[in-house]
Protein backbone atom coordinates (compact mmCIF):
# COMPACT_ATOMS: atom_id res chain seq x y z
CA UNK A 1 0.00 0.00 0.00
CA UNK A 2 1.06 3.58 -0.44
CA UNK A 3 1.88 5.06 2.91
CA UNK A 4 2.89 8.34 1.29
CA UNK A 5 -0.80 9.18 1.12
CA UNK A 6 -0.83 9.72 4.89
CA UNK A 7 0.63 12.69 6.68
CA UNK A 8 0.88 13.38 10.36
CA UNK A 9 0.74 16.87 11.75
CA UNK A 10 1.76 16.91 15.40
CA UNK A 11 2.62 19.32 18.11
CA UNK A 12 3.16 18.70 21.81
CA UNK A 13 4.00 20.68 24.91
CA UNK A 14 4.10 24.07 23.28
CA UNK A 15 5.79 22.96 20.07
CA UNK A 16 4.80 24.77 16.91
CA UNK A 17 2.52 22.79 14.63
CA UNK A 18 4.48 21.44 11.70
CA UNK A 19 3.75 18.98 8.95
CA UNK A 20 5.44 15.62 9.06
CA UNK A 21 5.17 13.52 5.92
CA UNK A 22 5.30 9.81 6.54
CA UNK A 23 8.00 7.87 4.80
CA UNK A 24 7.17 4.72 2.92
CA UNK A 25 8.03 1.85 5.29
CA UNK A 26 6.06 -0.90 3.60
CA UNK A 27 9.12 -2.80 2.43
CA UNK A 28 11.03 -5.14 4.73
CA UNK A 29 13.50 -3.29 6.90
CA UNK A 30 17.04 -4.61 7.01
CA UNK A 31 19.22 -3.11 9.69
CA UNK A 32 22.95 -2.94 9.55
CA UNK A 33 22.95 -2.81 13.34
CA UNK A 34 23.87 -5.91 15.34
CA UNK A 35 20.97 -7.98 16.58
CA UNK A 36 21.80 -7.18 20.18
CA UNK A 37 22.79 -3.62 20.76
CA UNK A 38 22.74 -3.90 24.51
CA UNK A 39 25.78 -2.74 26.35
CA UNK A 40 26.39 -2.71 30.06
CA UNK A 41 27.35 0.80 31.12
CA UNK A 42 27.42 -0.02 34.80
CA UNK A 43 30.24 -2.34 35.69
CA UNK A 44 28.82 -2.75 39.18
CA UNK A 45 25.89 -4.65 37.71
CA UNK A 46 28.05 -7.44 36.34
CA UNK A 47 27.98 -10.36 38.78
CA UNK A 48 31.30 -11.81 39.81
CA UNK A 49 30.61 -15.24 38.39
CA UNK A 50 32.74 -17.23 36.04
CA UNK A 51 31.14 -18.75 32.98
CA UNK A 52 30.99 -22.55 33.10
CA UNK A 53 33.94 -24.42 31.68
CA UNK A 54 33.96 -24.91 27.94
CA UNK A 55 34.31 -28.67 28.37
CA UNK A 56 31.05 -28.81 30.37
CA UNK A 57 29.32 -26.75 27.71
CA UNK A 58 30.56 -29.13 25.05
CA UNK A 59 29.35 -32.16 26.96
CA UNK A 60 25.83 -30.77 27.25
CA UNK A 61 25.66 -29.33 23.73
CA UNK A 62 23.73 -31.30 21.14
CA UNK A 63 25.99 -31.87 18.11
CA UNK A 64 23.05 -31.42 15.73
CA UNK A 65 21.17 -28.31 16.90
CA UNK A 66 23.97 -27.04 19.26
CA UNK A 67 21.37 -26.28 21.95
CA UNK A 68 21.76 -27.43 25.55
CA UNK A 69 20.43 -30.94 26.09
CA UNK A 70 17.74 -31.80 28.62
CA UNK A 71 16.38 -35.23 29.66
CA UNK A 72 15.99 -37.55 28.00
CA UNK A 73 19.55 -37.31 26.65
CA UNK A 74 20.20 -40.11 24.15
CA UNK A 75 23.46 -41.84 23.25
CA UNK A 76 24.64 -44.40 20.76
CA UNK A 77 26.61 -47.60 21.57
CA UNK A 78 29.85 -45.64 21.17
CA UNK A 79 28.79 -43.03 23.74
CA UNK A 80 27.98 -40.13 21.40
CA UNK A 81 25.06 -38.06 22.70
CA UNK A 82 22.28 -35.90 21.24
CA UNK A 83 18.99 -34.38 22.37
CA UNK A 84 15.61 -36.08 22.09
CA UNK A 85 14.35 -33.57 19.51
CA UNK A 86 17.22 -34.27 17.12
CA UNK A 87 16.99 -38.06 17.58
CA UNK A 88 13.99 -38.16 15.25
CA UNK A 89 15.59 -35.71 12.83
CA UNK A 90 18.60 -37.96 12.21
CA UNK A 91 16.36 -41.03 11.63
CA UNK A 92 17.74 -42.86 14.65
CA UNK A 93 21.33 -42.71 13.33
CA UNK A 94 24.18 -41.25 15.36
CA UNK A 95 25.34 -38.06 13.60
CA UNK A 96 28.91 -38.71 14.74
CA UNK A 97 29.58 -42.38 13.95
CA UNK A 98 26.43 -43.21 11.92
CA UNK A 99 25.63 -46.18 14.17
CA UNK A 100 22.04 -46.96 15.12
CA UNK A 101 21.01 -45.07 18.25
CA UNK A 102 18.47 -47.38 19.79
CA UNK A 103 16.86 -46.26 23.04
CA UNK A 104 19.89 -45.79 25.28
CA UNK A 105 19.76 -42.84 27.69
CA UNK A 106 22.91 -41.20 29.03
CA UNK A 107 21.89 -41.18 32.69
CA UNK A 108 25.37 -40.14 33.84
CA UNK A 109 25.27 -36.93 31.79
CA UNK A 110 21.74 -36.20 32.99
CA UNK A 111 23.03 -36.48 36.57
CA UNK A 112 25.94 -34.16 35.80
CA UNK A 113 23.52 -31.59 34.39
CA UNK A 114 21.30 -31.90 37.46
CA UNK A 115 24.21 -30.99 39.75
CA UNK A 116 25.17 -27.82 37.85
CA UNK A 117 24.27 -24.26 38.73
CA UNK A 118 24.85 -21.82 35.89
CA UNK A 119 24.63 -18.04 35.47
CA UNK A 120 21.86 -16.59 33.33
CA UNK A 121 22.80 -16.15 29.65
CA UNK A 122 22.17 -12.42 30.19
CA UNK A 123 24.68 -12.09 33.03
CA UNK A 124 26.79 -9.74 30.89
CA UNK A 125 23.75 -7.42 30.71
CA UNK A 126 23.47 -7.31 34.50
CA UNK A 127 21.45 -10.36 35.56
CA UNK A 128 22.82 -11.78 38.83
CA UNK A 129 20.72 -14.99 38.79
CA UNK A 130 22.44 -18.36 39.12
CA UNK A 131 20.02 -21.19 38.46
CA UNK A 132 20.08 -24.99 38.51
CA UNK A 133 20.69 -26.31 35.02
CA UNK A 134 17.12 -27.54 34.53
CA UNK A 135 15.63 -24.20 35.71
CA UNK A 136 17.90 -21.99 33.65
CA UNK A 137 15.79 -21.94 30.48
CA UNK A 138 12.61 -21.09 32.38
CA UNK A 139 14.31 -18.14 34.07
CA UNK A 140 15.78 -16.83 30.83
CA UNK A 141 12.37 -16.66 29.13
CA UNK A 142 11.21 -14.12 31.73
CA UNK A 143 14.52 -12.53 32.72
CA UNK A 144 14.15 -8.76 33.18
CA UNK A 145 17.58 -8.27 31.62
CA UNK A 146 16.79 -10.01 28.34
CA UNK A 147 16.95 -7.70 25.31
CA UNK A 148 13.83 -6.04 23.90
CA UNK A 149 12.62 -6.50 20.34
CA UNK A 150 12.22 -3.51 18.06
CA UNK A 151 8.67 -2.13 18.60
CA UNK A 152 8.30 -0.85 15.04
CA UNK A 153 5.20 -2.46 13.56
CA UNK A 154 5.67 -1.76 9.88
CA UNK A 155 8.40 -4.25 9.04
CA UNK A 156 9.89 -7.59 9.93
CA UNK A 157 12.62 -5.89 11.94
CA UNK A 158 14.72 -8.38 13.90
CA UNK A 159 16.86 -5.86 15.80
CA UNK A 160 17.04 -6.39 19.57
CA UNK A 161 18.75 -4.46 22.34
CA UNK A 162 18.25 -2.37 25.44
CA UNK A 163 15.89 0.63 25.50
CA UNK A 164 18.46 3.39 24.76
CA UNK A 165 19.76 1.41 21.80
CA UNK A 166 16.24 0.81 20.43
CA UNK A 167 15.29 4.47 20.82
CA UNK A 168 18.30 5.45 18.71
CA UNK A 169 17.47 2.67 16.26
CA UNK A 170 13.86 3.90 15.86
CA UNK A 171 15.05 7.47 15.33
CA UNK A 172 17.95 6.78 12.97
CA UNK A 173 16.86 3.69 11.04
CA UNK A 174 13.06 3.83 11.02
CA UNK A 175 12.96 7.67 11.00
CA UNK A 176 10.33 7.68 13.78
CA UNK A 177 9.23 11.09 15.10
CA UNK A 178 10.51 11.83 18.61
CA UNK A 179 8.75 14.20 21.03
CA UNK A 180 9.35 15.30 24.62
CA UNK A 181 6.41 15.76 26.99
CA UNK A 182 3.42 13.88 28.32
CA UNK A 183 0.71 15.52 26.19
CA UNK A 184 0.18 15.17 22.47
CA UNK A 185 -2.01 16.55 19.72
CA UNK A 186 -1.80 14.75 16.39
CA UNK A 187 -3.71 15.25 13.16
CA UNK A 188 -3.83 12.25 10.86
CA UNK A 189 -4.67 12.94 7.23
CA UNK A 190 -5.36 10.35 4.51
CA UNK A 191 -6.32 11.44 1.03
CA UNK A 192 -8.19 8.25 0.11
CA UNK A 193 -9.64 6.65 3.26
CA UNK A 194 -11.56 4.07 1.21
CA UNK A 195 -8.32 2.22 0.62
CA UNK A 196 -7.81 0.58 4.00
CA UNK A 197 -5.70 -2.55 3.93
CA UNK A 198 -3.98 -4.65 6.56
CA UNK A 199 -2.28 -2.50 7.71
CA UNK A 200 -1.36 1.15 7.44
CA UNK A 201 0.61 2.20 10.49
CA UNK A 202 2.30 5.12 12.14
CA UNK A 203 4.51 5.32 15.22
CA UNK A 204 5.58 8.27 17.37
CA UNK A 205 7.87 8.04 20.41
CA UNK A 206 7.35 10.25 23.48
CA UNK A 207 9.84 10.86 26.28
CA UNK A 208 8.42 11.80 29.68
CA UNK A 209 8.96 10.85 33.33
CA UNK A 210 12.39 9.63 32.20
CA UNK A 211 10.73 6.86 30.16
CA UNK A 212 9.84 6.24 26.50
CA UNK A 213 6.36 5.53 25.15
CA UNK A 214 5.25 4.42 21.67
CA UNK A 215 2.03 5.91 20.28
CA UNK A 216 0.62 3.69 17.52
CA UNK A 217 -2.02 4.75 15.02
CA UNK A 218 -3.20 2.29 12.38
CA UNK A 219 -5.79 1.49 9.76
CA UNK A 220 -6.67 -2.18 9.28
CA UNK A 221 -9.53 -4.57 8.63
CA UNK A 222 -11.35 -5.81 11.73
CA UNK A 223 -13.24 -8.72 10.24
CA UNK A 224 -15.04 -7.12 7.29
CA UNK A 225 -15.05 -3.64 8.80
CA UNK A 226 -12.27 -1.11 8.12
CA UNK A 227 -11.24 0.58 11.38
CA UNK A 228 -8.69 2.98 12.82
CA UNK A 229 -6.98 2.27 16.14
CA UNK A 230 -4.73 4.26 18.47
CA UNK A 231 -2.92 2.79 21.48
CA UNK A 232 0.15 3.36 23.65
CA UNK A 233 2.99 1.00 24.54
CA UNK A 234 5.61 1.42 27.26
CA UNK A 235 9.26 0.83 26.42
CA UNK A 236 10.06 -1.28 29.46
CA UNK A 237 8.78 -4.24 31.45
CA UNK A 238 5.15 -4.90 32.35
CA UNK A 239 5.66 -4.15 36.05
CA UNK A 240 6.87 -0.64 35.18
CA UNK A 241 4.15 -0.12 32.59
CA UNK A 242 1.47 -0.54 35.30
CA UNK A 243 2.73 2.61 37.01
CA UNK A 244 1.42 4.77 34.15
CA UNK A 245 -1.93 5.62 32.60
CA UNK A 246 -2.93 7.45 29.46
CA UNK A 247 -5.97 8.92 27.76
CA UNK A 248 -6.87 9.37 24.09
CA UNK A 249 -9.57 11.55 22.57
CA UNK A 250 -10.86 11.88 19.01
CA UNK A 251 -13.42 14.58 18.29
CA UNK A 252 -14.99 16.68 15.61
CA UNK A 253 -18.31 17.62 14.01
CA UNK A 254 -19.98 17.70 17.43
CA UNK A 255 -18.85 14.17 18.37
CA UNK A 256 -16.18 12.89 20.70
CA UNK A 257 -14.72 9.46 21.46
CA UNK A 258 -12.51 8.87 24.51
CA UNK A 259 -10.29 6.07 25.79
CA UNK A 260 -8.39 5.65 29.04
CA UNK A 261 -6.17 2.79 30.07
CA UNK A 262 -2.70 1.56 30.98
CA UNK A 263 0.03 1.28 28.34
CA UNK A 264 1.09 -2.22 27.40
CA UNK A 265 4.74 -3.19 27.61
CA UNK A 266 6.71 -3.64 24.40
CA UNK A 267 7.43 -7.12 25.76
CA UNK A 268 3.90 -7.81 24.51
CA UNK A 269 3.99 -7.91 20.73
CA UNK A 270 2.37 -5.19 18.69
CA UNK A 271 0.03 -7.74 17.08
CA UNK A 272 -1.12 -9.06 20.46
CA UNK A 273 -2.04 -5.56 21.62
CA UNK A 274 -3.84 -4.75 18.38
CA UNK A 275 -5.72 -8.05 18.23
CA UNK A 276 -6.83 -7.67 21.87
CA UNK A 277 -8.44 -4.31 20.89
CA UNK A 278 -6.73 -2.67 23.85
CA UNK A 279 -7.00 0.91 22.62
CA UNK A 280 -9.21 3.50 20.97
CA UNK A 281 -10.98 1.93 17.96
CA UNK A 282 -12.97 4.00 15.46
CA UNK A 283 -14.97 2.55 12.60
CA UNK A 284 -14.23 4.18 9.27
CA UNK A 285 -17.78 5.47 8.84
CA UNK A 286 -17.60 7.26 12.20
CA UNK A 287 -14.09 8.53 11.47
CA UNK A 288 -15.26 10.07 8.20
CA UNK A 289 -18.30 11.60 9.91
CA UNK A 290 -16.07 13.16 12.57
CA UNK A 291 -13.77 14.44 9.83
CA UNK A 292 -16.65 16.36 8.22
CA UNK A 293 -16.43 17.61 4.66
CA UNK A 294 -17.33 15.43 1.69
CA UNK A 295 -15.95 12.23 3.26
CA UNK A 296 -13.32 12.00 0.52
CA UNK A 297 -10.49 12.83 2.90
CA UNK A 298 -9.84 11.62 6.43
CA UNK A 299 -8.80 14.29 8.92
CA UNK A 300 -8.62 12.93 12.46
CA UNK A 301 -7.22 14.84 15.41
CA UNK A 302 -6.08 12.60 18.27
CA UNK A 303 -5.19 14.27 21.55
CA UNK A 304 -4.08 12.68 24.79
CA UNK A 305 -1.83 12.69 27.80
CA UNK A 306 0.29 10.33 29.88
CA UNK A 307 0.49 10.43 33.65
CA UNK A 308 2.11 8.47 36.44
CA UNK A 309 0.06 7.04 39.26
CA UNK A 310 1.67 7.81 42.63
CA UNK A 311 0.75 6.09 45.87
CA UNK A 312 -0.35 8.46 48.62
CA UNK A 313 1.07 6.81 51.77
CA UNK A 314 -1.43 8.57 54.10
CA UNK A 315 -4.65 8.08 52.19
CA UNK A 316 -3.45 4.84 50.55
CA UNK A 317 -4.87 5.91 47.23
CA UNK A 318 -3.27 6.56 43.88
CA UNK A 319 -3.09 10.14 42.71
CA UNK A 320 -2.11 11.19 39.20
CA UNK A 321 1.24 12.90 38.75
CA UNK A 322 1.07 15.13 35.67
CA UNK A 323 4.22 16.45 34.13
CA UNK A 324 4.38 20.17 33.55
Amino acid sequence: MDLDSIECVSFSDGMDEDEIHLLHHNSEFSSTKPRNGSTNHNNSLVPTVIAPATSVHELLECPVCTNSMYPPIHQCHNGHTLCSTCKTRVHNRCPTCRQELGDIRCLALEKVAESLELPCKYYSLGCPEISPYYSKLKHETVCNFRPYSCPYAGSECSVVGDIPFLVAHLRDDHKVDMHTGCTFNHRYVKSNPREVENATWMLTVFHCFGQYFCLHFEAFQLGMAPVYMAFLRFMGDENEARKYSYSLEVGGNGRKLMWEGMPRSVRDSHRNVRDSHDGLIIQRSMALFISGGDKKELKLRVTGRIWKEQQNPEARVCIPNLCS
Side-chain angles (χ1 to χ4, degrees):
M1 82 202 66
D2 184 7
L3 295 187
D4 292 329
S5 61
I6 301 181
E7 64 171 343
C8 168
V9 179
S10 73
F11 51 91
S12 62
D13 291 346
M15 296 176 60
D16 293 330
E17 182 171 350
D18 55 354
E19 293 194 358
I20 304 169
H21 298 277
L22 294 185
L23 298 176
H24 190 175
H25 295 300
N26 197 32
S27 60
E28 267 197 13
F29 175 79
S30 298
S31 172
T32 57
K33 303 280 187 182
R35 284 181 58 84
N36 189 345
S38 300
T39 55
N40 182 23
H41 300 290
N42 187 349
N43 292 331
S44 64
L45 291 177
V46 179
T48 55
V49 296
I50 299 175
T54 303
S55 58
V56 177
H57 268 309
E58 291 174 350
L59 282 173
L60 294 170
E61 184 180 274
C62 174
V64 178
C65 65
T66 70
N67 292 328
S68 297
M69 295 186 292
Y70 293 88
I73 298 175
H74 297 276
Q75 70 174 18
C76 72
H77 291 281
N78 292 324
H80 304 126
T81 57
L82 79 165
C83 70
S84 57
T85 301
C86 290
K87 183 174 183 288
T88 57
R89 294 172 56 188
V90 298
H91 305 293
N92 206 38
R93 289 283 175 182
C94 174
T96 304
C97 65
R98 310 306 300 169
Q99 296 295 315
E100 185 175 353
L101 285 170
D103 292 313
I104 306 174
R105 283 180 62 176
C106 187
L107 299 178
L109 191 55
E110 292 179 9
K111 286 290 185 181
V112 169
E114 187 176 345
S115 66
L116 292 178
E117 288 192 344
L118 302 177
C120 171
K121 66 185 292 185
Y122 305 119
Y123 76 94
S124 63
L125 303 180
C127 180
E129 288 293 323
I130 298 178
S131 307
Y133 182 82
Y134 294 137
S135 304
K136 182 171 177 285
L137 279 183
K138 182 178 180 181
H139 160 75
E140 289 170 353
T141 59
V142 296
C143 178
N144 289 335
F145 292 88
R146 71 191 189 277
Y148 295 88
S149 298
C150 173
Y152 191 78
S155 69
E156 298 297 329
C157 184
S158 59
V159 170
V160 298
D162 59 14
I163 297 303
F165 171 79
L166 288 181
V167 169
H169 164 68
L170 289 170
R171 181 191 64 234
D172 299 336
D173 297 323
H174 291 296
K175 309 302 181 185
V176 169
D177 294 324
M178 301 282 172
H179 295 279
T180 300
C182 59
T183 62
F184 45 88
N185 190 331
H186 277 29
R187 182 161 60 92
Y188 298 98
V189 180
K190 194 175 192 302
S191 58
N192 191 351
R194 298 291 175 183
E195 297 179 357
V196 176
E197 305 174 26
N198 273 327
T200 304
W201 50 83
M202 216 208 78
L203 173 65
T204 306
V205 173
F206 291 89
H207 182 230
C208 61
F209 300 109
Q211 306 288 348
Y212 290 92
F213 299 83
C214 295
L215 176 63
H216 296 265
F217 183 82
E218 335 197 322
F220 63 98
Q221 294 285 146
L222 183 57
M224 297 297 294
V227 298
Y228 298 95
M229 181 176 180
F231 57 92
L232 195 73
R233 287 203 291 168
F234 173 75
M235 295 189 71
D237 285 318
E238 187 65 35
N239 289 337
E240 287 296 312
R242 295 191 187 101
K243 298 178 181 179
Y244 300 90
S245 297
Y246 75 102
S247 64
L248 295 172
E249 183 177 304
V250 175
N253 205 15
R255 270 66 175 177
K256 183 185 294 185
L257 294 174
M258 300 180 65
W259 166 267
E260 187 173 305
M262 288 189 303
R264 298 276 283 271
S265 167
V266 292
R267 293 284 193 205
D268 207 353
S269 74
H270 163 270
R271 181 174 292 275
N272 283 345
V273 179
R274 194 192 79 178
D275 291 348
S276 66
H277 308 161
D278 192 3
L280 177 63
I281 298 179
I282 317 164
Q283 291 189 349
R284 183 176 64 185
S285 56
M286 174 59 73
L288 290 172
F289 184 81
I290 289 176
S291 295
D294 55 8
K295 296 186 179 182
K296 292 183 179 179
E297 184 177 48
L298 177 73
K299 294 180 180 179
L300 278 183
R301 185 171 295 282
V302 179
T303 62
R305 64 186 178 93
I306 306 166
W307 66 92
K308 185 175 183 179
E309 302 287 357
Q310 288 190 329
Q311 187 75 27
N312 186 332
E314 296 181 359
R316 293 187 178 180
V317 296
C318 287
I319 56 176
N321 177 21
L322 304 179
C323 63
S324 56

